[in-house]
Amino acid sequence: MVLPLENPSKSYWIEAAESKLRDFRSTAELPTEVDIVIVGSGYTGATTAYWLHKYTAKGKGPSPKILMLEARDICGGATGRNGGQLRPHAYSRYPKWCERFGPDGALALIKHEMAHLSAFKELVAEEGIAEEVCFKLGETFDAAMSDEAWKRLKGAYEAMKRDHGANGDVVRECRLIEDPAAAEEFTQMKGCIGAVIHPAGQIWPYKFIHALLRIVLDTGKLNLQAHTPVTAVSERGADGWITVTTARGVVRTKAVVHATNRWASHLLPEFTKVIYQNRATLAAIKAPEGFIKHTGAQHWDDIVNNYHLQLPPPYNTIIVGGAKQVLCHKPLSHMRSDEEDKIIDGVADFLRTWPASDIVGWEEKEPTELALPTKEGGNWTGTESSSIDSFPFVGSVSNRPGHFIAAGFSGHGMPRILLSSAHITPLVLAFLKLDTSPPALVAAYPSLPEPFAVSIERIELAQKIDAAARLEESVKSSLESAKKTFCNDARSRSTASPDDTN
Ligand SMILES: Cc1cc2nc3c(=O)[nH]c(=O)nc-3n(C[C@H](O)[C@H](O)[C@H](O)COP(=O)(O)OP(=O)(O)OC[C@H]3O[C@@H](n4cnc5c(N)ncnc54)[C@H](O)[C@@H]3O)c2cc1C
């Protein structure tokens, strides 16, 4: 049984947003019959509802009746607990993706992610919500904090340049800063020895989702229900209906969209071990206005990193995540962990001292206390959904007519989900034989990358991967990183003991 825990640790994003939709229920009772049930109210569920509205806004036929069921408070899962980074893999995954899918396949994946920057820009402009959701585009950096990291980051950029030419449109979006002093100045990261720069965005994900849901609620097409876990969904019956069972009663529907992230396998057991959990951790720390100039990430090896951004006024909060220098000493504290109701020993202390130890020019002062998450700051955890073959599953669920899924986006959903939900929406509407007209917003964007597509073959191959061996490998790599110098200062080792793996 993998339903979301009811009492996750408090996240700054949720506490500080103070949204009226937090515990929202459109009606006291659930409707008995609808056209579409969306399970999950995170980024995937909310953008699917939004696209359903946009695709049917100009249609001649009736609009579908949509019901969204959420186990927790609205957007209480990964989207309400993440890093806020809309940061495409512009080059860094190129070698890995090229090895699996060839130069063009790798480029298609990168272009899909990069397209999210303009897609977000257009959407928030069209809806007039850019300021409300703290949306900002700019440049981001990967800061190399070791020779090992610089070799990997620069190597990835150069491999892409070699295959696609210096003037390739994606290659032109990236640039290197090779001079350490210039890299430190741009990144504001003490000890940075080189950096790769590329376009990216930042957003308050929870506010974005609540704004989209408010827009769809205002149309009258959506019934939204917080604190309503779905415990079972049936196959489609001969009469065309699917039965959705919840703790608050049963609903009949013609289609179900599984926007359930790590918890997908609770309702679709074929995804057990295929989509699984890892826990990540972040903190919010108040800073002087405009102190951090760019979003970014620090890298020591391919496991150890931190990433951060700063929110605009009046919030002026730094959101920093990673803390891998601490986590790599205790891999099982986060790998395959669902314990979102607990913070991880040593992380709050590590992150509250991070600005003073890692940012150039941070004025020494008593570090903020992070133990108690409030709207002023704090440290929290969240469950990321990982996919065993590294890519999300987006499309019709094989062998289950009327069921659609978009899940398994790992710790990297922001530059992938908006256009993935735009892909499944017309599939759902076509299944229901509803009249649709594609919104101008999605017309220009690349189609779904091949590796995201759902098929029986892909699911069966994924099920055959030895998940236990994968975990063992990851634990081993993590403990190798734990031996390196950069994981052995007092801050990183404060809670680790030599044979401590969990
Ligand atoms: C700590 C952390 C940091 C991250 N940082 C970043 C980042 O900076 N950039 C980035 O790109 N990505 C980041 N990610 C990943 C990103 O947040 C996710 O990929 C994305 O939010 C997934 O959205 P979702 O809607 O699919 O899942 P969620 O937001 O998890 O939504 C799924 C919802 O479904 C509900 N649900 C599940 N099962 C049921 C059920 N049976 N009945 C009813 N409801 C159910 C859950 O309660 C949940 O609210 C991070 C993730 C975490 C956890």
Side-chain angles (χ1 to χ4, degrees), residues 427-495:
L427 302 182
V428 178
L429 293 168
F431 178 81
L432 297 176
K433 299 192 171 54
L434 288 172
D435 188 37
T436 65
S437 92
L441 268 177
V442 294
Y445 291 109
S447 51
L448 193 76
E450 194 61 30
F452 291 18
V454 188
S455 68
I456 281 285
E457 295 73 27
R458 180 177 169 205
I459 294 173
E460 283 176 359
L461 270 178
Q463 285 167 339
K464 285 186 192 137
I465 297 174
D466 186 340
R470 276 284 179 88
L471 175 61
E472 206 177 305
E473 230 172 78
S474 304
V475 167
K476 206 170 141 204
S477 309
S478 180
L479 293 174
E480 281 306 312
S481 288
K483 291 180 195 155
K484 297 179 187 172
T485 332
F486 44 78
C487 293
N488 282 288
D489 61 359
R491 291 168 65 234
S492 311
R493 288 204 52 86
S494 63
T495 58

Side-chain angles (χ1 to χ4, degrees), residues 2-4 39-45 69-73 75-87 228-231 259-264 266-267 278-282 307 340 380-385 406-415 417:
V2 282
L3 281 171
V39 190
S41 69
Y43 178 11
T44 306
L69 299 170
E70 168 55 55
R72 289 181 175 166
D73 44 335
C75 193
T79 315
R81 331 179 61 73
N82 76 15
Q85 300 244 10
L86 176 56
R87 198 167 178 274
T228 309
V230 175
T231 50
T260 42
N261 195 14
R262 173 273 176 276
W263 302 279
H266 185 76
L267 302 175
N278 281 312
R279 192 162 59 133
T281 182
L282 288 128
Y307 54 96
E340 283 176 290
W380 66 94
T381 54
T383 300
E384 294 175 348
S385 66
F409 291 92
S410 307
H412 189 66
M414 298 303 293
I417 292 176

